[in-house]
Amino acid sequence: MKKPILVANWKNHPESLRAVTPILTGLSRKSAVYKKLSTFIAPPLVYIEAVSSKIKSFAGLAGQDIFFAMEGTYTGAVTPDILKSFGVKLTIIGHSERRALGETNEVAAAKVKTALRSGITPLLCIGEEARDAEGNYFEFLSEELKLSLEGIRRKDDAHKLIIAYEPIWAIGKKAKDAMPPADLAQMVIFIKKVLTEIFGRESAERIPILYGGSVESGNANELVATGVQGFLVGHASLDPKNFSEIAEALL
Ligand code: PGA
């Protein structure tokens, strides 16, 4: 049985390098808990070196995004080899906040391929904007997942993927606004079904599905019991106490 996965998505926080230190100090107090999980921290890129030296013994370093090209000249870009040289092992791809800036499923698929080629684990995010009584979001999610994995069919690639289901309407709220556990359990089954259509049952079963969207210490326990193999945590990951309680819920 693989370890549960816990990924901290710091987004564009905290507001300065100085504010990173207390977070890292807080995290390291619970290093024993994080070591029992596959824990990753995805800080803003410019903080990566400061973070990596402090989390080495209990968490891996993750990117919040990956550039789609491996080589070439691109002003402003950070290519995968640079990320790798700083020890980045996993990267978030297709986060809804990037999709809102115009990132398409095609771009997400290119990034998944680039990550696989570079030996960085792709954590692909999918999630519907809203729920409707007709259940149109099922179709939306199926298409988003299939198109974001377009061209990836090899079993050994499939076995390196991680999917994060993050309904957009549940992101950045309070614990009470996260997805109800019964609905999440249904979505996990649905996502597995779509992955089975793409990769076949045996490979689909091996792909971890994480949940993200207002995971906090107050709801982590009930969300664990839905079949998810971990969490992608935004705002609560900047609060060491809250984050460590989420980690404990996964044990
Ligand atoms: P949240 O963010 O935990 O603040 O809802 C999750 C995410 O956007 O990855």
Side-chain angles (χ1 to χ4, degrees), residues 91-104:
T91 184
I92 299 170
I93 293 175
H95 190 280
S96 58
E97 287 156 11
R98 297 212 62 83
R99 292 179 186 267
L101 294 173
E103 185 159 311
T104 60

Side-chain angles (χ1 to χ4, degrees), residues 20-34:
V20 169
T21 310
I23 299 173
L24 294 174
T25 308
L27 286 175
S28 58
R29 283 202 189 102
K30 291 287 181 178
S31 60
V33 179
Y34 298 122

Side-chain angles (χ1 to χ4, degrees), residues 29-46:
R29 283 202 189 102
K30 291 287 181 178
S31 60
V33 179
Y34 298 122
K35 269 198 236 176
K36 292 185 193 158
L37 308 169
S38 290
T39 305
F40 292 90
I41 311 290
L45 271 189
V46 287

Side-chain angles (χ1 to χ4, degrees), residues 9 11 92 95-97 125 166 170-173 212-216 232-237:
N9 177 11
K11 308 191 180 186
I92 299 170
H95 190 280
S96 58
E97 287 156 11
C125 299
E166 296 206 306
I171 291 178
K173 309 253 172 66
S214 300
V215 179
E216 294 187 346
L232 175 55
V233 184
H235 64 273
S237 71

Side-chain angles (χ1 to χ4, degrees), residues 44-239:
L45 271 189
V46 287
Y47 300 158
I48 236 167
E49 198 167 7
V51 171
S52 94
S53 59
K54 297 274 170 34
I55 62 165
K56 231 182 251 151
S57 67
F58 62 89
L61 203 52
Q64 296 180 10
D65 187 26
I66 191 167
F67 193 60
F68 62 86
M70 299 275 286
E71 56 247 340
T73 314
Y74 301 96
T75 299
V78 177
T79 38
D81 282 345
I82 303 177
L83 289 183
K84 268 197 91 175
S85 75
F86 278 83
V88 168
K89 298 274 189 300
L90 173 148
T91 184
I92 299 170
I93 293 175
H95 190 280
S96 58
E97 287 156 11
R98 297 212 62 83
R99 292 179 186 267
L101 294 173
E103 185 159 311
T104 60
N105 290 322
E106 289 67 29
V107 171
K111 290 181 173 181
V112 172
K113 286 187 199 122
T114 305
L116 289 168
R117 270 182 68 199
S118 339
I120 296 176
T121 301
L123 168 55
L124 174 69
C125 299
I126 57 164
E128 76 280 2
E129 184 124 23
R131 303 220 124 193
D132 55 294
E134 296 77 36
N136 288 325
Y137 52 89
F138 283 113
E139 204 175 315
F140 171 85
L141 281 174
S142 168
E143 183 172 295
E144 189 175 47
L145 191 52
K146 286 178 179 164
L147 291 177
S148 300
L149 293 173
E150 185 77 50
I152 295 138
R153 293 294 173 269
R154 290 175 43 212
K155 286 201 181 315
D156 45 333
D157 283 341
H159 299 164
K160 290 178 189 129
L161 292 172
I162 305 175
I163 305 297
Y165 171 55
E166 296 206 306
I168 298 171
W169 51 268
I171 291 178
K173 309 253 172 66
K174 289 272 151 232
K176 64 173 178 41
D177 305 308
M179 180 168 240
D183 291 351
L184 179 55
Q186 185 189 37
M187 296 317 292
V188 172
I189 293 168
F190 177 73
I191 292 164
K192 279 200 181 132
K193 181 175 152 282
V194 180
L195 289 171
T196 303
E197 287 168 27
I198 306 173
F199 296 114
R201 177 175 291 274
E202 197 209 328
S203 294
E205 284 295 332
R206 291 170 62 162
I207 302 175
I209 300 171
L210 315 187
Y211 170 76
S214 300
V215 179
E216 294 187 346
S217 57
N219 59 9
N221 275 306
E222 58 182 38
L223 291 169
V224 168
T226 56
V228 294
Q229 276 106 319
F231 296 128
L232 175 55
V233 184
H235 64 273
S237 71
L238 292 146
D239 170 357

